[in-house]
Amino acid sequence: MELFYHPLSRYSQKVLIALYEKQANFYPRITDLRDPLPRKAFQHFYPPAKLPLLKTQDGALIPESSIIIEYLDRHFTHGTQLLPQESQRNLQVRLFDRIIDGDISNQLFQLEKLKHSDEKREFEIKQIEKQMLTQFKRLDTHLAQNHWVCGDSFTLADCALIPCLSYSFKHLNLLELDELVRYWQQAQLRGAWMLVLEEVLLAEMEEDTGLRSIP
Protein backbone atom coordinates (compact mmCIF):
# COMPACT_ATOMS: atom_id res chain seq x y z
CA MET A 1 0.00 0.00 0.00
CA GLU A 2 0.96 3.64 -0.49
CA LEU A 3 -0.25 6.57 1.61
CA PHE A 4 -0.23 10.04 0.09
CA TYR A 5 -0.28 12.49 2.98
CA HIS A 6 1.36 15.43 4.72
CA PRO A 7 2.64 15.03 8.30
CA LEU A 8 1.22 18.42 9.37
CA SER A 9 -2.28 17.52 8.18
CA ARG A 10 -4.50 16.38 11.05
CA TYR A 11 -6.51 14.10 8.77
CA SER A 12 -3.24 12.54 7.62
CA GLN A 13 -2.18 12.12 11.24
CA LYS A 14 -5.52 10.44 11.94
CA VAL A 15 -4.82 7.83 9.26
CA LEU A 16 -1.21 7.38 10.33
CA ILE A 17 -2.33 6.57 13.87
CA ALA A 18 -4.66 3.91 12.46
CA LEU A 19 -1.95 2.40 10.26
CA TYR A 20 0.39 2.07 13.24
CA GLU A 21 -2.40 0.69 15.44
CA LYS A 22 -3.14 -1.94 12.77
CA GLN A 23 0.59 -2.67 12.35
CA ALA A 24 0.09 -2.30 8.59
CA ASN A 25 3.00 -1.93 6.20
CA PHE A 26 2.78 1.00 3.79
CA TYR A 27 4.97 3.18 1.61
CA PRO A 28 4.87 6.85 2.71
CA ARG A 29 4.33 9.40 -0.06
CA ILE A 30 4.66 12.82 1.56
CA THR A 31 2.82 15.32 -0.66
CA ASP A 32 2.84 19.09 -0.10
CA LEU A 33 -0.18 20.55 -1.89
CA ARG A 34 0.98 24.09 -1.09
CA ASP A 35 3.83 23.61 -3.57
CA PRO A 36 2.53 24.08 -7.16
CA LEU A 37 4.67 21.38 -8.78
CA PRO A 38 3.84 18.51 -6.39
CA ARG A 39 0.21 19.64 -6.41
CA LYS A 40 0.05 19.51 -10.21
CA ALA A 41 1.63 16.05 -10.28
CA PHE A 42 -0.73 14.76 -7.59
CA GLN A 43 -3.74 16.33 -9.31
CA HIS A 44 -2.80 14.51 -12.51
CA PHE A 45 -2.69 11.24 -10.52
CA TYR A 46 -5.81 12.02 -8.46
CA PRO A 47 -7.86 14.95 -9.85
CA PRO A 48 -9.65 15.90 -6.58
CA ALA A 49 -6.15 16.48 -5.12
CA LYS A 50 -7.19 15.87 -1.50
CA LEU A 51 -5.13 14.28 1.23
CA PRO A 52 -4.88 11.73 2.69
CA LEU A 53 -5.23 9.13 -0.06
CA LEU A 54 -4.55 5.41 0.24
CA LYS A 55 -3.51 3.37 -2.78
CA THR A 56 -4.23 -0.27 -2.01
CA GLN A 57 -2.22 -3.29 -3.13
CA ASP A 58 -4.64 -3.87 -6.00
CA GLY A 59 -4.34 -0.25 -7.16
CA ALA A 60 -7.63 1.10 -5.79
CA LEU A 61 -7.59 4.70 -4.57
CA ILE A 62 -9.36 5.33 -1.27
CA PRO A 63 -9.87 8.96 -0.10
CA GLU A 64 -11.31 10.36 3.15
CA SER A 65 -9.67 9.55 6.48
CA SER A 66 -12.62 7.71 8.05
CA ILE A 67 -13.17 5.55 4.97
CA ILE A 68 -9.46 4.72 4.78
CA ILE A 69 -9.53 3.62 8.42
CA GLU A 70 -12.63 1.49 7.85
CA TYR A 71 -10.83 -0.19 4.93
CA LEU A 72 -7.79 -0.88 7.13
CA ASP A 73 -9.93 -2.28 9.92
CA ARG A 74 -11.70 -4.67 7.53
CA HIS A 75 -8.58 -5.87 5.73
CA PHE A 76 -6.10 -6.12 8.62
CA THR A 77 -7.32 -8.41 11.38
CA HIS A 78 -4.22 -7.98 13.55
CA GLY A 79 -3.52 -4.94 15.69
CA THR A 80 -6.18 -2.76 17.30
CA GLN A 81 -9.81 -3.19 16.24
CA LEU A 82 -10.80 0.38 15.46
CA LEU A 83 -14.48 -0.18 14.63
CA PRO A 84 -16.41 -2.43 17.04
CA GLN A 85 -18.39 -5.28 15.53
CA GLU A 86 -21.33 -4.76 17.91
CA SER A 87 -23.74 -2.48 16.08
CA GLN A 88 -24.60 -0.04 18.89
CA ARG A 89 -20.96 0.58 19.83
CA ASN A 90 -20.04 0.84 16.15
CA LEU A 91 -22.66 3.54 15.71
CA GLN A 92 -21.36 5.45 18.74
CA VAL A 93 -17.79 5.35 17.42
CA ARG A 94 -18.92 6.61 14.01
CA LEU A 95 -20.97 9.37 15.62
CA PHE A 96 -18.06 10.68 17.69
CA ASP A 97 -15.77 10.45 14.66
CA ARG A 98 -18.12 12.72 12.70
CA ILE A 99 -18.55 15.14 15.64
CA ILE A 100 -14.78 15.41 16.13
CA ASP A 101 -14.09 15.93 12.43
CA GLY A 102 -16.91 18.42 11.90
CA ASP A 103 -16.98 20.37 15.14
CA ILE A 104 -13.36 20.22 16.26
CA SER A 105 -10.89 19.40 13.46
CA ASN A 106 -12.58 21.53 10.78
CA GLN A 107 -13.06 24.38 13.25
CA LEU A 108 -9.38 24.24 14.15
CA PHE A 109 -8.52 24.60 10.48
CA GLN A 110 -10.70 27.72 10.23
CA LEU A 111 -9.18 29.10 13.43
CA GLU A 112 -5.64 28.65 12.13
CA LYS A 113 -6.51 30.32 8.83
CA LEU A 114 -7.98 33.34 10.65
CA LYS A 115 -5.00 33.66 12.99
CA HIS A 116 -2.57 33.64 10.07
CA SER A 117 -4.64 36.02 7.95
CA ASP A 118 -3.30 39.49 7.22
CA GLU A 119 -6.71 40.90 8.17
CA LYS A 120 -7.63 41.41 11.82
CA ARG A 121 -10.54 39.00 12.45
CA GLU A 122 -10.57 39.00 16.24
CA PHE A 123 -14.35 38.73 16.55
CA GLU A 124 -14.49 35.64 14.32
CA ILE A 125 -11.55 34.10 16.18
CA LYS A 126 -13.26 34.60 19.54
CA GLN A 127 -16.50 33.12 18.21
CA ILE A 128 -14.78 29.95 16.99
CA GLU A 129 -12.79 29.62 20.21
CA LYS A 130 -16.03 29.93 22.21
CA GLN A 131 -17.73 27.25 20.10
CA MET A 132 -14.74 24.94 20.44
CA LEU A 133 -14.57 25.41 24.20
CA THR A 134 -18.22 24.37 24.39
CA GLN A 135 -17.43 21.20 22.43
CA PHE A 136 -14.46 20.38 24.63
CA LYS A 137 -16.53 20.88 27.80
CA ARG A 138 -19.11 18.41 26.48
CA LEU A 139 -16.33 15.99 25.63
CA ASP A 140 -14.82 16.43 29.09
CA THR A 141 -18.12 15.42 30.69
CA HIS A 142 -18.34 12.40 28.38
CA LEU A 143 -14.80 11.30 29.21
CA ALA A 144 -15.65 11.16 32.92
CA GLN A 145 -17.39 7.86 32.09
CA ASN A 146 -14.99 6.63 29.39
CA HIS A 147 -11.30 5.73 29.41
CA TRP A 148 -10.99 6.40 25.67
CA VAL A 149 -13.57 8.31 23.64
CA CYS A 150 -15.96 5.36 23.35
CA GLY A 151 -15.24 3.20 26.35
CA ASP A 152 -12.26 1.11 27.36
CA SER A 153 -11.06 0.39 23.81
CA PHE A 154 -9.06 2.62 21.46
CA THR A 155 -11.12 3.27 18.31
CA LEU A 156 -11.54 5.36 15.16
CA ALA A 157 -12.85 8.19 17.35
CA ASP A 158 -9.52 8.37 19.20
CA CYS A 159 -7.63 8.43 15.90
CA ALA A 160 -9.71 11.52 15.06
CA LEU A 161 -9.40 13.31 18.40
CA ILE A 162 -5.74 12.95 19.34
CA PRO A 163 -4.29 15.05 16.47
CA CYS A 164 -6.71 17.86 17.38
CA LEU A 165 -5.51 18.02 20.99
CA SER A 166 -1.89 18.73 20.08
CA TYR A 167 -2.84 22.18 18.75
CA SER A 168 -5.79 22.77 21.10
CA PHE A 169 -3.84 22.47 24.35
CA LYS A 170 -1.29 24.98 23.05
CA HIS A 171 -3.78 27.62 21.94
CA LEU A 172 -6.99 27.15 23.95
CA ASN A 173 -7.58 27.33 27.69
CA LEU A 174 -8.31 23.65 28.37
CA LEU A 175 -6.27 22.95 31.50
CA GLU A 176 -9.33 23.24 33.76
CA LEU A 177 -10.98 20.31 31.96
CA ASP A 178 -9.61 17.54 34.16
CA GLU A 179 -10.87 14.55 32.15
CA LEU A 180 -9.64 16.00 28.88
CA VAL A 181 -6.22 16.62 30.46
CA ARG A 182 -6.18 13.02 31.73
CA TYR A 183 -7.10 11.78 28.26
CA TRP A 184 -4.39 13.87 26.59
CA GLN A 185 -1.76 12.63 29.03
CA GLN A 186 -2.57 8.99 28.33
CA ALA A 187 -2.84 9.64 24.57
CA GLN A 188 0.70 11.04 24.48
CA LEU A 189 1.96 7.68 25.80
CA ARG A 190 0.22 5.73 23.03
CA GLY A 191 2.84 4.16 20.78
CA ALA A 192 1.05 4.96 17.52
CA TRP A 193 0.77 8.66 18.39
CA MET A 194 4.41 8.78 19.50
CA LEU A 195 5.44 7.52 16.04
CA VAL A 196 3.23 10.13 14.35
CA LEU A 197 4.52 12.90 16.61
CA GLU A 198 8.13 12.15 15.66
CA GLU A 199 7.26 12.86 12.03
CA VAL A 200 5.24 15.96 12.96
CA LEU A 201 8.12 17.45 14.95
CA LEU A 202 10.56 16.75 12.12
CA ALA A 203 8.26 18.45 9.61
CA GLU A 204 7.84 21.44 11.94
CA MET A 205 11.60 21.79 12.26
CA GLU A 206 12.00 21.70 8.49
CA GLU A 207 9.33 24.33 7.93
CA ASP A 208 9.69 26.30 11.16
CA THR A 209 6.03 27.28 10.81
CA GLY A 210 4.15 24.99 13.19
CA LEU A 211 0.81 23.38 12.46
CA ARG A 212 -0.99 25.79 10.16
CA SER A 213 -3.51 25.79 7.36
CA ILE A 214 -3.34 22.12 6.51
CA PRO A 215 -6.65 20.32 7.20
Side-chain angles (χ1 to χ4, degrees):
M1 297 189 301
E2 298 176 57
L3 180 69
F4 297 83
Y5 72 104
H6 193 284
L8 299 185
S9 155
R10 272 183 294 274
Y11 286 124
S12 293
Q13 293 167 21
K14 174 180 171 181
V15 171
L16 286 171
I17 291 172
L19 282 161
Y20 292 135
E21 289 286 342
K22 299 301 294 183
Q23 302 170 28
N25 293 323
F26 68 99
Y27 190 87
R29 297 283 194 183
I30 295 178
T31 306
D32 191 346
L33 297 182
R34 297 165 300 177
D35 188 322
L37 290 178
R39 183 180 184 87
K40 185 176 181 180
F42 183 63
Q43 197 164 23
H44 180 75
F45 171 71
Y46 180 64
K50 292 179 65 178
L51 298 174
L53 178 73
L54 184 73
K55 182 179 179 182
T56 67
Q57 290 175 313
D58 60 5
L61 300 178
I62 303 178
E64 302 296 337
S65 59
S66 298
I67 302 302
I68 292 172
I69 292 173
E70 181 170 351
Y71 172 86
L72 294 172
D73 209 47
R74 287 185 178 185
H75 288 79
F76 292 87
T77 56
H78 49 280
T80 306
Q81 184 177 23
L82 298 171
L83 282 158
Q85 294 182 349
E86 196 275 314
S87 59
Q88 198 61 33
R89 286 200 63 237
N90 185 290
L91 185 62
Q92 184 191 40
V93 168
R94 289 175 178 276
L95 173 61
F96 272 92
D97 172 63
R98 301 323 309 137
I99 290 172
I100 292 164
D101 279 359
D103 296 337
I104 296 179
S105 189
N106 289 348
Q107 290 287 77
L108 280 176
F109 178 57
Q110 293 302 320
L111 184 62
E112 290 165 336
K113 282 180 66 177
L114 289 172
K115 286 191 172 184
H116 288 91
S117 172
D118 292 334
E119 303 176 36
K120 290 188 176 182
R121 315 268 294 266
E122 289 300 321
F123 177 76
E124 292 177 67
I125 289 172
K126 293 298 182 185
Q127 286 294 102
I128 292 178
E129 289 178 341
K130 183 179 179 180
Q131 293 168 7
M132 294 198 63
L133 187 57
T134 298
Q135 289 295 335
F136 279 124
K137 285 179 177 178
R138 292 176 61 189
L139 190 57
D140 184 71
T141 301
H142 173 78
L143 287 170
Q145 305 297 324
N146 293 273
H147 184 67
W148 294 105
V149 173
C150 294
D152 294 333
S153 302
F154 191 96
T155 67
L156 163 67
D158 299 288
C159 295
L161 179 60
I162 292 172
C164 298
L165 295 181
S166 184
Y167 180 91
S168 298
F169 269 99
K170 292 177 183 175
H171 298 279
L172 299 173
N173 184 22
L174 303 179
L175 293 178
E176 294 181 359
L177 303 180
D178 293 341
E179 292 300 325
L180 193 66
V181 170
R182 183 268 303 168
Y183 178 93
W184 179 226
Q185 289 174 340
Q186 76 186 29
Q188 290 179 87
L189 299 176
R190 191 81 180 184
W193 172 244
M194 292 171 73
L195 290 171
V196 174
L197 186 59
E198 286 181 11
E199 193 167 352
V200 171
L201 294 175
L202 180 61
E204 286 183 341
M205 288 176 59
E206 290 176 349
E207 292 200 359
D208 195 31
T209 59
L211 294 169
R212 62 181 180 91
S213 300
I214 303 179

